[in-house]
Each structure stands twice: as structure tokens, then as C-alpha cells.
Amino acid sequence: MDNGVERISSNELSDRMQVTASQIRQDLNNFGGFGQQGYGYNVKFLYQAIGKILGLDKTYNVIIVGAGNLGQALANYVRFEKRGFRVIAMFDINPQLVGRKVRGIEIRHLDTLSDYLKQNDIQIATLTLPKAAAEEVALKLVEGGVKAIWNFAHTDLNLPKDVIVENVHLSESLMQLSYNITRHQKGKDEKL
Amino acid sequence: MDNGVERISSNELSDRMQVTASQIRQDLNNFGGFGQQGYGYNVKFLYQAIGKILGLDKTYNVIIVGAGNLGQALANYVRFEKRGFRVIAMFDINPQLVGRKVRGIEIRHLDTLSDYLKQNDIQIATLTLPKAAAEEVALKLVEGGVKAIWNFAHTDLNLPKDVIVENVHLSESLMQLSYNITRHQKGKDEKL
DNA sequence: TAGATTGTTAATCGATTAACAATC
DNA sequence: TAGATTGTTAATCGATTAACAATC
């Protein structure tokens, strides 16, 4: 779409991604028929259709719990806003941070979290704090009505199963990198 | 291991993870026989064996390119160091950051990157900078002998295929969260 | 030796790919 | 109408699970 392409076939898509044309058609058809025989897929329409499947047509109120470097990095990432994720508050316990603003978003004291949740309808909370505090805070969030947690704390959360948790475990990503380096090295050795 | 468990069977492991005992045994046996009939797996030995498979027994020199919030967050994460990933330098173009230190690690000017790479043996580089600069810097890194890139820039890199790239695309993670919320909501609606 | 539990082979299941009839 | 390309069914492939003989 950014390249001004108006229509595209599953074959052309297959060339651009590393996915077979068959799989593209199969996968899309799990959600509906977005193409047209003899024509292919209208790029703009497909983009919107996929956005709708992913729920990107809705908007959510988001808070960031933990306003350290990682929390601030997320607060500064403007493109989330464009996808419908409105960050409206941040929380921390560090007195040096409380009261400050990041991209216009106020950092509040963690003690005020429960009160804040009573007065505001928050769907998503980002957990960007040390793992020691993560579980306790997560429970407060759930009590306060938060339905989904984007968890960056280096721990798995034990929460009621109707709470949606998306983990970003950087250590796992780093291990994968490490494994690929090792495998790559081995591949070389074996060729000798 | 943290809980002081000395030995564990594939069945007990199965209970703790959401993986069948069969799969645990199959998967481990792709790499070797780490257990013992009638006994199970020695936890300490298994931990070390898995570490070795993942390459966590080696040490790597790491630089962080992009010393913004995200770069600093990674620099501050001490546990990476324990896994053998030694962060020895950071780079940025922001004059307010250059010269400062994060956890003792100096932030250097990005212009000095190529020189630095000539004089130091760096295996891994973390890309934590805006997507506009990512590809160009990545090429410099590869020229300088960096073998693996941990890519946090919101873009896919087009690099020689012997360069190992591990992408952390937060927007994809957020879309997954969004999709799960949507699916969850739908599930509820359908029950009505 | 008897019991436990692995390593491994065989059976099942699901996901990917190929093929093609429907149709724009 | 002819050509292109989807949606969808059938064939293939790989991964997961089940079963069990080997062995500690």
C-alpha cells in the first residue's frame, strides 16, 4: 500500500513474504473471502480487512505501569497511538519520576493506581517494572478491571485465565539469537 | 533448580509446563540423551545441557547502537551479563548522550562506530534506533565484522544471509494482544 | 529382582502444499 | 469469450502423541 500498489495476487504476495501462495489463500479464507477470482486482492481493502481481524479498528485506553527506561520508550512510540492504543497514564514508585511527564503523559504514583482504575476505564496495561513487583501489581490491575496485560517483566504471571496476557520475554529472544549463532558456527565447522 | 529440586521426570515437567511428557522426551532426544531410565532427569545437569545447546556457555562482546530509552533499558538489564552477553560500548548521535555513561558503559558517537569495530572484536550488536537509520547502520556493523544483530528497529533488515538477525517487533506483539482481545470478546458474544 | 522412566518406534493428528473447479 | 486467479478440496508432509521395549 505504501508503494502505491493497488491490487496484488497471492503469487505476488508469496514472492514478497516467505510464504507460499497456497498458504496465503488458505489462511485468509479462514476469516473470509477477501479476494476476487481473476483479479486478486485489493490492497487497501485487504489491509483494512486484516486490521479488522486483528482488532486494530477499535481503540483502547492503555496505562503504562513502570515508568523506567522501557516504560518511557513505549510511551514515546507514537505509532501505537495510530493503531488505536491511547496511552493515558503512567505509574511508578520512584519519587524522581512521579509528577514528570513523558510526551504529555503524566507519571503518577503507583499508590494511586487502584483509585485511578476506579475512575477510568482502562482495557490494557503495560507492565514494565522489575519482576519482584510484577505479580502483585498485575493482581491490582485485574481487580481494577483491566482485561489485558502486555507483560515485559521477566516473569510469567499467574492470573485468572480470562485475563489476556501477552508476554515479551527479551531473555527468550536473546537465547534464540544465541542458539542461532551456535548453530551457524556448527554448520561452518561441519563443512570443514 | 531454584526450588531445590534435584531430579525430575518428564511427567513432572509436563505438569509444570503445558507440554506433554512425550514431547519433552522427543525434543530433548533431538539433542542427546540427557536422562536415565528409572530415574528421570538430573535438574542441574539438564540445565547445563540446555544452556550448552543454546550456546549460553559462551561469552559474547555486545554493543548497543542507539542509546535512547530502549538502549538504556537493555544496558541496565544485568542478567544478560550473567548469561555471557557482555555489553562493552554504546553508540548514539545525540550530543546530550554522547560521553555519558550507563551502568559504567560509555556512550560513544555513532561516527566512531566503524573505527571502534576495527579495534574491537564484537560479535553481537543491538539495534535500538529509529527505523530510518537502521538499515544503514546495520550495513556498517556487518562491514565491521559483527555476526549477529538483535534488531529492535521497527523494520526488517535486508542483509547478507550469513548475518544472524533476531527481530523484536513490538508492534507484532501488540497486534497479537489486540487479536486475542478481539477473539476473547467474540467468544463472549457468541455465548449470549 | 521389581519398579520406574527413559529413548525410540509406530500411530495419529494437524498443517502445509498441490491441484483444480468456480468465477470474476 | 478467454485469461487470470481465487476459494476450496484432496494429497502430502511434518510434528505431536501414544506405546513399549530397553535399561537404570
Side-chain angles (χ1 to χ4, degrees):
Chain A
M1 198 166 76
D2 287 345
N3 295 173
V5 177
E6 234 173 68
R7 70 191 186 91
I8 196 161
S9 69
S10 54
N11 254 306
E12 291 170 290
L13 271 174
S14 171
D15 283 346
R16 294 184 179 233
M17 310 160 71
Q18 354 89 304
V19 179
T20 63
S22 222
Q23 188 160 25
I24 290 169
R25 297 205 298 278
Q26 280 276 26
D27 287 356
L28 288 175
N29 275 84
N30 282 322
F31 296 99
F34 304 116
Q36 210 163 59
Q37 283 99 330
Y39 173 89
Y41 298 87
N42 180 284
V43 174
K44 221 166 188 169
F45 177 78
L46 186 60
Y47 178 86
Q48 280 176 332
I50 292 172
K52 214 167 168 180
I53 293 167
L54 294 172
L56 301 178
D57 54 331
K58 307 195 193 83
T59 57
Y60 297 103
N61 290 332
V62 180
I63 59 170
I64 294 175
V65 185
N69 284 315
L70 191 52
Q72 291 189 29
L74 293 177
N76 279 315
Y77 191 58
V78 187
R79 289 192 62 195
F80 292 150
E81 218 84 0
K82 289 198 187 126
R83 304 265 178 175
F85 302 90
R86 272 197 308 256
V87 179
I88 59 174
M90 300 176 76
F91 294 86
D92 209 293
I93 49 162
N94 185 341
Q96 301 218 301
L97 290 174
V98 173
R100 275 176 54 186
K101 285 187 178 184
V102 178
R103 203 169 56 80
I105 305 155
E106 194 182 336
I107 303 176
R108 295 153 188 269
H109 198 285
L110 191 61
D111 289 345
T112 68
L113 175 62
S114 292
D115 279 346
Y116 183 89
L117 290 174
K118 267 179 211 153
Q119 279 148 30
N120 297 271
D121 190 26
I122 304 297
Q123 290 86 45
I124 303 176
T126 295
L127 265 193
T128 43
L129 39 69
K131 97 181 182 186
E135 183 111 17
E136 190 198 327
V137 172
L139 285 169
K140 269 191 198 154
L141 290 166
V142 172
E143 268 175 44
V146 170
K147 292 290 171 240
I149 292 176
W150 200 17
N151 177 36
F152 288 77
H154 300 259
T155 184
D156 284 320
L157 302 170
N158 217 318
L159 299 174
K161 62 181 176 315
D162 66 317
V163 179
I164 295 154
V165 178
E166 176 72 21
N167 291 306
V168 180
H169 287 334
L170 293 183
S171 54
E172 286 174 11
S173 169
L174 192 64
M175 285 183 209
Q176 200 150 326
L177 182 68
S178 175
Y179 175 65
N180 286 333
I181 294 173
T182 308
R183 219 174 38 158
H184 190 254
Q185 224 72 35
K186 273 231 188 72
K188 260 190 202 157
D189 294 353
E190 276 156 20
K191 273 176 202 151
L192 296 176
Chain B
M1 198 167 77
D2 287 346
N3 294 175
V5 178
E6 233 175 69
R7 69 190 187 92
I8 197 161
S9 69
S10 54
N11 254 306
E12 291 170 290
L13 270 173
S14 171
D15 284 344
R16 294 184 179 234
M17 311 159 72
Q18 354 90 305
V19 178
T20 62
S22 224
Q23 189 160 26
I24 291 168
R25 295 204 300 278
Q26 280 276 26
D27 286 357
L28 287 175
N29 274 85
N30 282 322
F31 296 100
F34 304 117
Q36 210 163 58
Q37 283 98 331
Y39 173 87
Y41 298 88
N42 179 285
V43 174
K44 221 166 188 170
F45 177 77
L46 186 61
Y47 178 86
Q48 280 177 331
I50 292 172
K52 214 166 167 181
I53 292 167
L54 295 172
L56 301 177
D57 54 331
K58 305 194 194 84
T59 57
Y60 296 103
N61 290 331
V62 180
I63 59 171
I64 294 174
V65 185
N69 283 316
L70 190 52
Q72 290 189 31
L74 293 177
N76 278 317
Y77 191 58
V78 186
R79 288 190 64 196
F80 292 150
E81 218 84 2
K82 287 195 189 128
R83 303 265 178 177
F85 301 91
R86 271 198 307 257
V87 180
I88 59 174
M90 300 176 76
F91 293 87
D92 209 294
I93 49 164
N94 185 342
Q96 301 218 299
L97 291 174
V98 174
R100 276 176 52 189
K101 284 187 178 186
V102 178
R103 203 169 54 82
I105 305 156
E106 195 183 335
I107 303 177
R108 295 153 189 269
H109 197 285
L110 191 61
D111 290 345
T112 67
L113 176 62
S114 293
D115 278 346
Y116 184 88
L117 291 174
K118 269 178 210 153
Q119 279 148 29
N120 296 271
D121 191 26
I122 304 297
Q123 290 85 45
I124 302 176
T126 295
L127 266 192
T128 43
L129 38 69
K131 98 180 178 184
E135 182 111 19
E136 190 197 328
V137 171
L139 286 170
K140 268 190 199 158
L141 289 167
V142 173
E143 267 175 44
V146 170
K147 293 288 168 243
I149 292 175
W150 200 15
N151 178 36
F152 288 77
H154 300 259
T155 183
D156 283 321
L157 302 170
N158 217 317
L159 298 174
K161 62 180 175 315
D162 65 318
V163 179
I164 294 154
V165 179
E166 176 71 23
N167 291 307
V168 180
H169 287 333
L170 294 182
S171 53
E172 285 173 13
S173 169
L174 192 65
M175 285 183 207
Q176 202 151 325
L177 182 67
S178 175
Y179 174 66
N180 286 333
I181 294 173
T182 308
R183 219 174 38 157
H184 191 254
Q185 225 70 35
K186 272 233 190 70
K188 260 190 203 156
D189 294 353
E190 276 156 19
K191 272 176 206 153
L192 296 176

